[in-house]
Amino acid sequence: MEKRPMSTITHEAEVQRQHPRYRLPMRCLHNGEPVPVIDLSVGGIGVKLRALDVKPGHIVDIILAFPFDGYELTLPMRAEVRYASKEHGRVGMRFVDVSPRQSNLLRFVLNAYLSGEVVEAGDVLDVVARRNEGKTREIPQRQQPVGLAASAAQYGRSMAGYGLIIAATVLLVGFIGTGIFQRLYIIPAQSAMITADLVTVPSPSNGQVTFIAAGNEIQAGEPLLTIQGPQGTSSIVIDSPCDCFVQARYSRTSNFVREGAPVLVLREKTSSPYITASIPQSDVLRFYRGAQAIVEYTDGTRVRDVPIEPIPTFSDDDAAAEHFLVKLAPGRKLDDSAIGQPVSVVFDTFSGSRIRATTQKISSGLSWVKTTTASLLAKGMGRTNTRQAGQQTESYNGERVANLK
């Protein structure tokens, strides 16, 4: 058998070329003229520059000729010129409009050259007749359960899986819905505490405290405290402005105080503890549309629907502040010792929303329809009973008449 010259394989980096190039004993024809071949790959061909006068982007028709024992295989191809390098004397072309048969035949020829096999004409015909299709792989069917117990177990697993999916979906929807509801309709108070209407008694001048009323209750007009002026000057006596409880003492007898410094804090006997809560200025408009307060105390007690005192008018001074104060009734009995304790307050504005108003209208409409339907049914039943009673009376009278005759 005649020996063929060994083929040379040239590899390039993957970023430069997709397919390896081969140097094979073959010919290339363009317009009937031979063109020296440098190398060949599945995706294109490289020829010498002086044999072609083309520019990048041109489409040329070429014929690839492969010599075998006793015959020569020709394969017409179309190629696009990608580059023409004068430095390397090379024209690189890429095969375009390649049919599946052309691709199969080119791969077969390259593999035959590389393996050194003798290619016969029948082999080429088999490759040309080969269809570029693959069989669809059949998926094996799942075995059906046999017996009542196996069927019940499979059904139970299926129901458990569906149940888990439904439960996860419900939890996810609930989580998202809760977040949306809190963002749209819940206003948490920035700060809240228990307080009362207090009166702070300051020192009228610099001096020494010589008298402070004892006890926790003081009547209106009673002496409250006495301040001795510096260097034995005249004393100043302050009387109680109300019937009050002493809420706090900031100084004692014989202490020196400065003018304006707080000495006592009083709370009127008629004043009850209440809650003040501050909300952001950006949520004031939502608050005015209607809100329900929920208060949680330090002992864990939670009170819902806490009454909200009449909301004060929103003034320019409030607009300049960063928060808006709201007064709340405590909703439970509080001791005086609770004054000053912090609490947690949350405002629910859903009651003043359009969705709530629409829901109430729909509920009222359904109630009206239910009441009207019940009334009509009652009237119909009353007429039926009256008609039946009349028929029974006529029949009874007829029987009496018949017996008398």
Side-chain angles (χ1 to χ4, degrees):
M1 183 177 60
E2 181 182 358
K3 294 184 179 180
R4 299 193 185 98
M6 295 183 63
S7 303
T8 304
I9 305 175
T10 304
H11 293 276
E12 290 187 357
E14 184 178 0
V15 296
Q16 296 175 345
R17 185 177 295 271
Q18 184 179 1
H19 306 285
R21 298 179 298 170
Y22 310 102
R23 293 184 179 180
L24 304 177
M26 59 169 295
R27 296 186 305 117
C28 178
L29 302 176
H30 175 60
N31 294 333
E33 298 293 333
V35 179
V37 178
I38 299 177
D39 49 37
L40 176 71
S41 70
V42 178
I45 188 173
V47 299
K48 292 186 178 181
L49 179 63
R50 65 176 182 272
L52 285 177
D53 185 13
V54 292
K55 296 181 179 180
H58 288 182
I59 304 296
V60 297
D61 294 324
I62 58 176
I63 297 176
L64 306 180
F66 303 95
F68 292 102
D69 280 345
Y71 71 96
E72 186 179 66
L73 174 65
T74 58
L75 180 62
M77 302 288 289
R78 298 194 70 190
E80 177 188 3
V81 178
R82 302 302 300 273
Y83 65 89
S85 175
K86 294 182 179 180
E87 180 181 358
H88 298 88
R90 174 189 176 90
V91 176
M93 295 184 290
R94 179 177 65 89
F95 297 138
V96 295
D97 301 333
V98 181
S99 65
R101 291 185 178 181
Q102 288 176 322
S103 178
N104 289 337
L105 186 57
L106 185 57
R107 291 180 182 275
F108 173 75
V109 171
L110 292 176
N111 292 334
Y113 268 105
L114 294 176
S115 61
E117 295 181 358
V118 178
V119 179
E120 298 180 355
D123 298 334
V124 177
L125 294 177
D126 291 339
V127 174
V128 174
R130 186 183 304 163
R131 300 182 63 183
N132 192 23
E133 296 178 358
K135 294 184 178 180
T136 303
R137 184 173 60 182
E138 297 182 357
I139 301 177
Q141 296 182 355
R142 181 182 300 177
Q143 293 182 355
Q144 298 296 328
V146 179
L148 181 60
S151 300
Q154 183 179 7
Y155 179 77
R157 288 192 296 268
S158 300
M159 294 302 297
Y162 289 129
L164 290 176
I165 294 175
I166 294 174
T169 304
V170 171
L171 290 176
L172 180 60
V173 172
F175 178 77
I176 297 175
T178 302
I180 295 175
F181 180 84
Q182 291 184 352
R183 185 176 181 84
L184 295 178
Y185 301 110
I186 300 299
I187 303 176
Q190 293 178 328
S191 62
M193 64 179 299
I194 302 173
T195 185
D197 293 332
L198 305 177
V199 178
T200 301
V201 180
S203 174
S205 65
N206 297 332
Q208 184 181 14
V209 179
T210 58
F211 170 77
I212 294 181
N216 294 328
E217 295 186 16
I218 299 177
Q219 302 298 324
E222 292 183 357
L224 191 61
L225 61 90
T226 303
I227 305 295
Q228 179 71 41
Q231 298 179 356
T233 57
S234 59
S235 300
I236 301 176
V237 179
I238 299 177
D239 297 332
S240 175
C242 61
D243 296 337
C244 302
F245 295 103
V246 177
Q247 190 67 33
R249 299 174 183 269
Y250 293 103
S251 184
R252 297 178 181 179
T253 304
S254 72
N255 288 350
F256 288 90
V257 294
R258 292 183 179 181
E259 182 179 356
V263 180
L264 294 175
V265 177
L266 306 178
R267 178 173 63 87
E268 295 184 7
K269 292 183 178 180
T270 57
S271 174
S272 300
Y274 58 89
I275 297 173
T276 56
S278 63
I279 60 175
Q281 290 287 357
S282 57
D283 294 326
V284 171
L285 182 59
R286 294 168 55 195
F287 189 86
Y288 268 99
R289 292 175 181 172
Q292 295 178 352
I294 303 173
V295 179
E296 184 174 357
Y297 293 89
T298 54
D299 58 358
T301 304
R302 177 175 292 185
V303 182
R304 296 182 177 274
D305 296 334
V306 174
I308 301 176
E309 298 294 332
I311 302 175
T313 305
F314 191 72
S315 62
D316 295 337
D317 295 336
D318 296 327
E322 295 182 357
H323 57 272
F324 185 72
L325 290 179
V326 180
K327 184 177 179 181
L328 306 173
R332 56 177 289 193
K333 186 177 180 180
L334 297 176
D335 298 332
D336 295 341
S337 60
I339 295 176
Q341 293 182 359
V343 293
S344 175
V345 179
V346 174
F347 298 100
D348 185 357
T349 61
F350 182 73
S351 59
S353 64
R354 295 182 179 179
I355 297 178
R356 180 64 180 272
T358 304
T359 304
Q360 289 180 346
K361 290 181 180 179
I362 294 175
S363 179
S364 301
L366 293 177
S367 299
W368 179 84
V369 171
K370 183 178 179 180
T371 304
T372 304
T373 304
S375 177
L376 293 176
L377 291 176
K379 290 182 180 179
M381 293 294 294
R383 292 175 182 175
T384 302
N385 293 335
T386 303
R387 189 181 298 109
Q388 290 179 355
Q391 292 177 357
Q392 290 177 359
T393 303
E394 291 178 359
S395 176
Y396 179 70
N397 292 335
E399 289 179 358
R400 291 185 61 184
V401 173
N403 291 332
L404 290 174
K405 291 179 179 179

